[in-house]
Amino acid sequence: MQGEIPAYRKKAGKNKQKMIDNAPKKEYNNTWIILYIGSFSMKTQNFGFYKVGCGVPRIKVANPAYNAGEIVKLMAQAKESGCSLLVTPELSLTGATCGDLFYQRSLLNACEEALETILEASKESSMITVVGLPVACAGKLYNCAAVVQDGLLRGFTPKSILSQRDTCFTSGKEDELFFCECVSYCDRAVYDCGDLRFGIVFGSELYAPDSPAAKLAAEGANLIINLASENELYEVQYNNASELAG
């Protein structure tokens, strides 16, 4: 795919093709992506209300192809139930427990292919899907959310305030200019869908002293999406029904 825009980006109607032709095109790793800068339509009569769904796929760690299939199933269910926006967890394409596997090129390439599967499944649909995945750029690795709609990648938002478990990742703060050169529409952007303007944060970023959520709200976001995940499994055992009820 080096140097060539994939065919699935080209199969579109005349109006969409014109938009794609005029959109900025950037290459990260070996995959071309189309970035549409600006607002995009939800195509729904919502009377000021939007149905937002939270989908938690049954994933397999470090198996993006399988996980993409599970996310596509959730997308179909959300679309059928009338959702305008579907949110999946942080790192939902890989799982949060990959550890050093995040550095493997084979895993990152599989994530790109899995994202293409999700893009294909989103065609002819105004529903927005937010998917968590690792993105390699300029020799660094970022924990990102990809915003997908109607067969197009609307942008990446990187995690900027990292926790102790994010040892594999680089902060996607505003001073990481090379990252923005690689993926233009990112870095705490407010996604404009007309009446709905949303921003994305990750986990504990929501209540950090310098939370990006405050900046997003000041820039006009009326919905803050929080992608979160845990890399540990907690087991809670209850001795009796009263303890469960209490």
Side-chain angles (χ1 to χ4, degrees):
M1 298 177 64
Q2 180 73 29
E4 181 180 354
I5 301 175
Y8 72 84
R9 298 288 198 282
K10 298 179 180 179
K11 295 178 181 179
K14 293 182 180 180
N15 292 336
K16 187 185 296 182
Q17 186 62 52
K18 183 178 179 181
M19 181 189 74
I20 292 175
D21 291 339
N22 294 332
K25 302 173 180 64
K26 297 288 183 180
E27 186 179 14
Y28 77 101
N29 299 333
N30 293 321
T31 301
W32 281 93
I33 60 175
I34 305 299
L35 301 169
Y36 173 48
I37 311 300
S39 61
F40 43 104
S41 173
M42 302 291 286
K43 296 180 181 177
T44 179
Q45 294 182 350
N46 52 68
F47 303 103
F49 293 91
Y50 292 88
K51 188 172 185 178
V52 178
C54 179
V56 182
R58 294 181 177 272
I59 68 164
K60 294 183 179 180
V61 176
N63 192 337
Y66 175 87
N67 300 337
E70 293 299 300
I71 292 173
V72 168
K73 293 178 184 178
L74 292 176
M75 291 169 63
Q77 295 175 19
K79 182 179 178 181
E80 185 176 351
S81 66
C83 283
S84 300
L85 191 153
L86 173 66
V87 182
T88 66
E90 179 183 9
L91 296 171
S92 54
L93 269 186
T94 57
T97 58
C98 291
D100 289 344
L101 291 177
F102 281 123
Y103 295 121
Q104 297 296 317
R105 172 53 56 186
S106 58
L107 179 63
L108 299 177
N109 289 344
C111 282
E112 294 180 15
E113 295 173 1
L115 184 57
E116 290 186 13
T117 299
I118 293 172
L119 284 165
E120 185 69 22
S122 72
K123 284 185 175 180
E124 307 302 329
S125 173
S126 63
M127 185 183 74
I128 298 167
T129 303
V130 182
V131 180
L133 76 163
V135 174
C137 185
K140 295 186 178 182
L141 191 63
Y142 298 86
N143 182 350
C144 288
V147 178
V148 172
Q149 185 197 40
D150 197 11
L152 293 174
L153 177 59
R154 300 298 185 179
F156 288 119
T157 295
K159 187 174 184 178
S160 60
I161 302 176
L162 303 179
S163 63
Q164 292 182 349
R165 68 178 176 83
D166 291 316
T167 55
C168 298
F169 299 104
T170 298
S171 171
K173 290 187 176 180
E174 290 180 86
D175 55 358
E176 300 286 354
L177 296 179
F178 58 84
F179 180 76
C180 290
E181 291 173 2
C182 183
V183 182
S184 298
Y185 189 44
C186 65
D187 193 25
R188 302 304 168 192
V190 174
Y191 295 87
D192 187 352
C193 310
D195 292 337
L196 176 64
R197 292 170 54 83
F198 68 91
I200 299 173
V201 299
F202 296 81
S204 58
E205 285 186 335
L206 187 64
Y207 47 82
D210 54 344
S211 174
K215 179 182 176 181
L216 291 168
E219 293 179 353
N222 51 26
L223 174 66
I224 304 296
I225 296 171
N226 186 9
L227 273 67
S229 65
E230 288 291 344
N231 60 351
E232 299 291 344
L233 179 64
Y234 298 95
E235 181 178 356
V236 179
Q237 295 181 346
Y238 298 99
N239 297 324
N240 51 55
S242 62
E243 184 177 351
L244 178 63

